[in-house]
C-alpha cells in the first residue's frame, strides 16, 4: 500500500490508480516499500515489549487488586485478583463456599472492582442478607430501622450488581447479561454460583453432561480473556469419601474444567480447622493453604495464626474420644 493505509490493496487496484495529474501509480516505489501484511493474531516481542517492561517495573500492579486483610494469606499465595483470569472454587456442601466467595468479592468491590453476582442456587435476597452483614461486619438480626438503613446505605453504594436468573439457566442468556454488564457497568469481576446450575440448555454432544460442562467452561474462558473480566466459578465436587481431602481431580466434570482455569481454590476441612487450599496458580505458581475460622462478632471469616492452629490442635488432642 505504499506506506499508506489508503494505498491500493492489490495489483489490480494499483493499475487503476492515478494521481492528480492523471499519471499511473509508481509501481517501482510500491514494490520497494512493500512489506508483509501482518496477521491480526500474530505478534512479535516488539509488540509486547512495553507491557513486559511494565510487568517487571511495576510487579505490584501486575499482581492485581489485593484481597481483604482478614484473608491476607490469599495475597501471599495468589498475589492478587487479576482481570482476564478464570478461578475455580470448590468445596463440599455446607462448608461455606458461597460465604467465603461473597466475602472475597465484597473486599474487592470495596476497592472499586465492579462486580456482578450470578447466584443460581441461593436467591438474591438471601445472598444480599448475608453480604449486607458481612459488609457491615455485624449481625443485623433484630436490628433497629436506623441500624438497617445505615448498613444498607453503605452497602448500596458498592459497585455491585446481581443477575436475576435462578435455577437451571441457559448459558447464552447468562453470557448476554455478562456482556452487557461488562460494557454498561464496567464490571471486572463476575461470580457464578454454580457451574452445574448454569449448564442447562446447551446443545452438547448427544446431551452428554461432561460435554455440556466443557462447552460452558470454554465459553467462560473465552469471555474472561476477550473482555478482560475475572470470572470466579463455584463448582461442586464429585461424590467422594467424606474422610478424604479433595483434590483437583475431585472437581465435577472433565479435566477441561481445571485445565482452562488460571486458579483452583478448594475449601478443605481436615477435622481440626478449615482452610483454603490453592491447588493451581498460573500467575507465578505459588501454592499453599490459608487456614481460617468464622468470627461471629463481625460475621466474616478471618485467617488463623500459627499459634491459634497449634492451640486448636492441642485442644483436639486433649479432648476425650467420642
Amino acid at each position: 500500500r505504499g506506506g499508506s493505509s489508503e494505498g491500493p490493496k492489490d495489483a489490480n487496484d494499483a493499475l487503476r490508480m492515478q494521481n492528480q495529474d492523471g499519471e499511473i501509480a509508481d509501481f517501482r516505489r510500491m514494490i520497494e516499500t512493500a512489506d508483509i501484511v501482518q496477521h491480526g493474531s500474530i505478534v512479535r516481542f516488539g509488540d509486547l515489549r512495553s507491557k513486559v517492561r511494565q510487568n517487571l517495573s511495576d510487579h505490584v500492579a501486575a499482581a492485581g487488586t489485593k484481597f481483604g486483610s482478614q484473608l491476607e494469606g490469599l495475597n501471599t499465595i495468589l498475589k492478587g485478583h487479576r482481570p482476564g483470569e478464570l478461578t475455580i472454587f470448590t468445596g463440599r456442601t455446607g462448608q461455606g463456599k458461597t460465604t467465603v466467595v461473597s466475602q472475597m468479592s465484597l473486599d474487592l468491590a470495596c476497592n472499586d472492582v465492579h462486580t456482578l453476582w450470578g447466584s443460581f442456587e441461593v436467591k438474591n435476597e438471601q445472598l444480599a442478607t448475608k453480604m449486607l452483614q458481612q459488609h457491615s461486619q455485624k449481625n443485623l438480626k433484630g436490628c433497629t430501622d436506623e441500624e438497617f438503613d445505615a448498613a444498607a446505605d453503605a452497602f448500596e453504594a458498592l459497585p455491585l450488581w446481581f443477575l436475576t436468573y435462578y435455577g437451571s439457566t441457559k448459558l447464552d442468556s447468562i453470557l448476554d447479561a455478562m456482556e452487557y454488564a461488562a460494557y454498561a457497568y464496567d464490571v471486572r469481576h463476575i461470580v457464578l454460583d454454580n457451574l452445574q446450575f448454569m449448564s442447562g440448555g446447551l446443545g452438547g454432544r448427544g446431551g452428554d453432561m461432561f460435554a455440556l460442562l466443557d462447552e460452558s467452561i470454554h465459553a467462560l474462558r473465552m469471555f474472561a480473556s476477550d473482555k478482560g473480566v475475572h470470572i470466579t466459578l463455584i463448582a461442586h465436587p464429585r461424590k467422594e469419601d467424606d474422610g478424604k481431602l479433595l483434590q483437583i481431580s475431585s472437581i465435577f466434570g472433565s479435566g477441561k474444567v481445571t485445565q482452562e482455569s488460571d486458579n483452583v481454590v478448594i475449601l478443605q476441612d481436615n477435622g481440626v480447622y478449615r482452610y483454603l487450599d490453592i491447588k493451581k496458580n498460573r500467575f507465578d505458581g505459588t501454592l499453599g493453604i490459608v487456614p481460617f475460622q468464622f468470627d461471629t462478632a463481625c460475621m466474616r471469616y478471618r485467617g488463623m495464626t500459627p499459634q491459634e492452629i497449634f492451640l486448636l490442635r492441642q485442644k483436639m488432642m486433649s479432648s476425650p474420644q467420642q
Side-chain angles (χ1 to χ4, degrees), residues 89-99 121-122 193-194 196-197 234-242 244 246 250 252 266-269 274 301:
F89 194 103
T90 192
R92 287 194 167 87
T93 301
Q95 288 191 345
K97 295 188 297 295
T98 302
T99 304
E121 192 170 10
V122 178
D193 184 11
N194 60 62
Q196 285 77 357
F197 273 87
I234 299 176
H236 286 312
R238 303 174 188 272
K239 299 294 183 183
E240 295 187 353
D241 186 350
D242 289 341
K244 295 182 178 179
L246 298 175
S250 304
F252 187 82
I266 303 178
L267 197 162
Q268 306 271 31
D269 187 342
R274 282 182 289 174
Y301 290 106

Side-chain angles (χ1 to χ4, degrees), residues 63-225:
T65 304
K66 296 301 181 184
F67 296 99
S69 60
Q70 288 167 319
L71 292 174
E72 181 61 34
L74 285 174
N75 293 320
T76 303
I77 301 172
L78 290 175
K79 305 303 182 294
H81 183 270
R82 294 165 291 276
E85 292 191 349
L86 173 63
T87 295
I88 302 296
F89 194 103
T90 192
R92 287 194 167 87
T93 301
Q95 288 191 345
K97 295 188 297 295
T98 302
T99 304
V100 173
V101 174
S102 70
Q103 178 176 326
M104 292 165 58
S105 70
L106 279 172
D107 290 338
L108 292 168
C110 287
N111 281 319
D112 203 35
V113 177
H114 292 209
T115 301
L116 175 69
W117 255 90
S119 177
F120 309 103
E121 192 170 10
V122 178
K123 292 185 177 180
N124 282 336
E125 55 268 30
Q126 294 174 286
L127 175 63
T129 300
K130 181 194 301 289
M131 297 180 77
L132 173 65
Q133 295 180 96
Q134 287 183 316
H135 181 251
S136 65
Q137 300 197 32
K138 63 174 67 174
N139 190 330
L140 293 173
K141 292 180 181 178
C143 67
T144 65
D145 290 342
E146 290 77 12
E147 289 174 324
F148 173 80
D149 287 340
D153 288 346
F155 182 70
E156 194 169 349
L158 293 176
L160 180 64
W161 293 264
F162 299 88
L163 290 174
T164 59
Y165 301 117
Y166 181 71
S168 183
T169 307
K170 291 183 179 180
L171 181 62
D172 287 344
S173 299
I174 299 169
L175 289 172
D176 181 69
M178 288 166 53
E179 185 169 6
Y180 181 85
Y183 173 77
Y185 306 133
D186 196 28
V187 161
R188 287 296 171 260
H189 182 208
I190 298 176
V191 182
L192 299 172
D193 184 11
N194 60 62
L195 173 62
Q196 285 77 357
F197 273 87
M198 55 173 295
S199 299
L202 282 170
R205 296 182 289 276
D208 178 67
M209 175 56 73
F210 290 138
L212 299 180
L213 293 175
D214 284 353
E215 289 180 46
S216 298
I217 290 295
H218 178 70
L220 294 174
R221 167 74 273 172
M222 294 301 295
F223 186 95
S225 299

Side-chain angles (χ1 to χ4, degrees), residues 244 296 300:
K244 295 182 178 179
T296 55
R300 294 167 69 92

